[in-house]
Amino acid sequence: MTVAVFAILLLAAVPIALVLALTAVWYIAASGNTVLFESYPQQLFGAIESYGLLAIPLFMLAGELMNEGGVTRRLIDLARLLVGGFRGGLAYINLVANMMMAAIIGSAASQIAIMSRAMVPAMEREGYDKSYSAAITAAGGLLSPIIPPSMLFVLFGVIAQVPIAEMFIAGILPGLLLGFSFFLAIAVVGLRQQYPKGNWPTRAEARRALIMGVPALSIPLIIIGGILLGVATPTESAALASLVALLLGRLLYGELTLGQLPRVLTRTAVNAGLVIMLIAAAGVFGWVVTYERLPQMAAAAISALTTDPFLFLLLVIGSLLLVGMVIDGIAALILVVPILLPIATQQFDISPYQFGVVVCLTLVLGLLTPPVGAGLFIASSMTGASTLHIFRALIPFLLATLATLVLLAWQPWLTTGLIGR
């Protein structure tokens, strides 16, 4: 009945945090072992009692300050300077700007919302199809889970008890590889659809974009550089990024006023509260899963199917694609990692870094695939394009992501090379 209660609550559109918390309550009541209720509050608190999780609201705050302070627009102007003259130039600008934003925001949903407002109207004005413009923007959100910083990497690091900084470093090469595959997809679609040739900026425009864009580029450099050089932890880097975004928006660009700060802080608090509540509820649910020894049963079942690490990862990708279609990525991550990680590391000798990158990228695909597809609805609500049309335009990018996933599962060095493990 516990499985039935979980399914009924999920299908009834109950918020996923409540689904997980109530399912755990039902299990304890149905098991008759009511002494577990005494541990319930401890498990709720224990799931969020981690210094690393503080990075989540700080990265959210950095993204909000960047958007309000005009930093996002300067990064887009800088991207125009780099790739704006190619055929389908605005499509490439969209992607490069998304890669820059992925190095700051760390949340796919937030990135899709921010970039949809910034890029889709501009692409429409130059003759691009609205659905295709929204699809590129939504596809750019797939870069957030693997280009550091990443909220999913923070959570994975906490759950798997591996250094979050090393998880961030493990995502650099996969992020560049995924970005390159998206460039190829844009090139192929651009040639078939004959999108307009872009225009390179004039010397004066280029000078202005550099002068105003380089300070904005300092934010991702502070985050990634601080972590790579060991100067700051991911949480400290997030705090520094928020401070720099505040100073740039207030003092340099002059677009961020003190009157905007209460609204920015409120949005950050509400969004971070939702995520933290979900983590706490999923922690309780994961405790129940572990109590029932599901990881051991799953290990026995999978070991009977294959002993090849590559085939195991392909099975994980196929299974998590289905999971990600119906369950939020953060909740799914907290549910599946305690079950599958011990199997990956102990039974198949797979690096936790390779496993983490593959799992996080696979789960975030669910953000753009039916039946839930929250990312599709975000892009649709921000642009007015049909979710079905956006999904059709997304297919080349989803195929590119699947090809990247297979390559990451096949070649461990793509995730472990930079950290030497």
Side-chain angles (χ1 to χ4, degrees):
M1 282 301 297
T2 301
V3 176
V5 168
F6 178 83
I8 291 169
L9 292 174
L10 195 64
L11 293 174
V14 175
I16 186 67
L18 291 179
V19 172
L20 299 174
L22 292 175
T23 303
V25 169
W26 173 275
Y27 167 79
I28 294 172
S31 69
N33 192 6
T34 53
V35 71
L36 294 178
F37 278 124
E38 297 177 8
S39 300
Y40 193 94
Q42 292 177 330
Q43 296 299 327
L44 275 174
F45 179 73
I48 58 174
E49 190 184 14
S50 171
Y51 172 73
L53 291 179
L54 186 60
I56 291 177
L58 288 173
F59 280 127
M60 285 182 170
L61 177 60
E64 291 285 353
L65 290 171
M66 284 180 56
N67 202 40
E68 291 287 339
V71 178
T72 303
R73 183 158 53 83
R74 270 70 183 193
L75 288 176
I76 292 172
D77 291 341
L78 198 59
R80 184 184 296 273
L81 177 62
L82 297 174
V83 293
F86 297 119
R87 179 174 294 280
L90 265 182
Y92 291 109
I93 291 170
N94 194 339
L95 181 58
V96 172
N98 265 298
M99 293 181 75
M100 293 178 181
M101 293 299 292
I104 301 166
I105 296 178
S107 165
S110 298
Q111 184 168 326
I112 291 170
I114 291 170
M115 296 304 292
S116 292
R117 292 198 302 267
M119 288 303 305
V120 174
M123 293 183 71
E124 275 192 279
R125 284 195 297 270
E126 294 200 16
Y128 292 83
D129 178 73
K130 181 188 289 186
S131 299
Y132 178 66
S133 304
I136 293 177
T137 308
L142 294 175
L143 297 166
S144 284
I146 53 175
I147 292 183
S150 162
M151 285 191 206
L152 289 183
F153 279 3
V154 172
L155 290 177
F156 182 86
V158 171
I159 298 168
Q161 296 183 342
V162 298
I164 296 172
E166 292 188 355
M167 273 304 304
F168 282 180
I169 296 170
I172 292 176
L173 287 181
L176 295 175
L177 179 63
L178 183 61
F180 177 72
S181 71
F182 284 176
F183 272 107
L184 292 180
I186 290 173
V188 171
V189 174
L191 287 174
R192 290 182 57 192
Q193 301 290 340
Q194 286 298 299
Y195 282 117
K197 189 178 185 300
N199 297 313
W200 293 108
T202 64
R203 184 172 297 181
E205 290 172 339
R207 188 184 302 113
R208 191 183 313 114
L210 275 174
I211 292 173
M212 302 303 286
V214 168
L217 196 60
S218 66
I219 297 178
L221 291 179
I222 286 171
I223 294 172
I224 299 174
I227 293 170
L228 287 177
L229 297 175
V231 177
T233 66
T235 302
E236 292 164 349
S237 295
L240 286 173
S242 299
L243 176 61
V244 173
L246 174 64
L247 294 176
L248 289 178
R250 181 81 178 97
L251 302 179
L252 181 61
Y253 302 138
E255 295 186 20
L256 184 64
T257 65
L258 294 178
Q260 293 171 278
L261 288 181
R263 185 170 66 250
V264 168
L265 294 172
T266 300
R267 279 203 304 266
T268 302
V270 170
N271 292 332
L274 291 173
V275 172
I276 297 301
M277 181 180 177
L278 181 56
I279 294 169
V284 172
F285 191 85
W287 166 58
V288 169
V289 165
T290 305
Y291 192 83
E292 278 294 286
R293 297 180 57 83
L294 286 184
Q296 291 82 350
M297 290 188 282
I302 293 174
S303 298
L305 294 175
T306 181
T307 57
D308 187 321
F310 176 57
L311 290 179
F312 167 74
L313 285 176
L314 291 184
L315 286 172
V316 169
I317 290 170
S319 302
L320 295 188
L321 281 175
L322 298 177
V323 171
M325 287 180 182
V326 294
I327 299 179
D328 177 82
I330 294 175
L333 184 73
I334 300 174
L335 291 178
V336 303
V337 169
I339 298 174
L340 295 179
L341 181 62
I343 304 172
T345 55
Q346 297 168 18
Q347 301 283 333
F348 295 93
D349 197 28
I350 295 171
S351 165
Y353 302 100
Q354 180 191 16
F355 183 77
V357 171
V358 169
V359 166
C360 290
L361 182 54
T362 304
L363 286 176
V364 86
L365 265 179
L367 196 68
L368 301 177
T369 51
V372 179
L376 291 176
F377 289 104
I378 292 172
S380 176
S381 64
M382 291 292 174
T383 63
S386 160
T387 53
L388 180 60
H389 291 161
I390 294 175
F391 179 71
R392 286 175 179 169
L394 262 173
I395 289 175
F397 301 98
L398 298 180
L399 293 176
T401 306
L402 286 174
T404 302
L405 275 170
V406 172
L407 190 58
L408 293 176
W410 180 41
Q411 296 293 334
W413 65 269
L414 288 171
T415 50
T416 59
L418 292 182
I419 55 178
R421 296 194 185 188

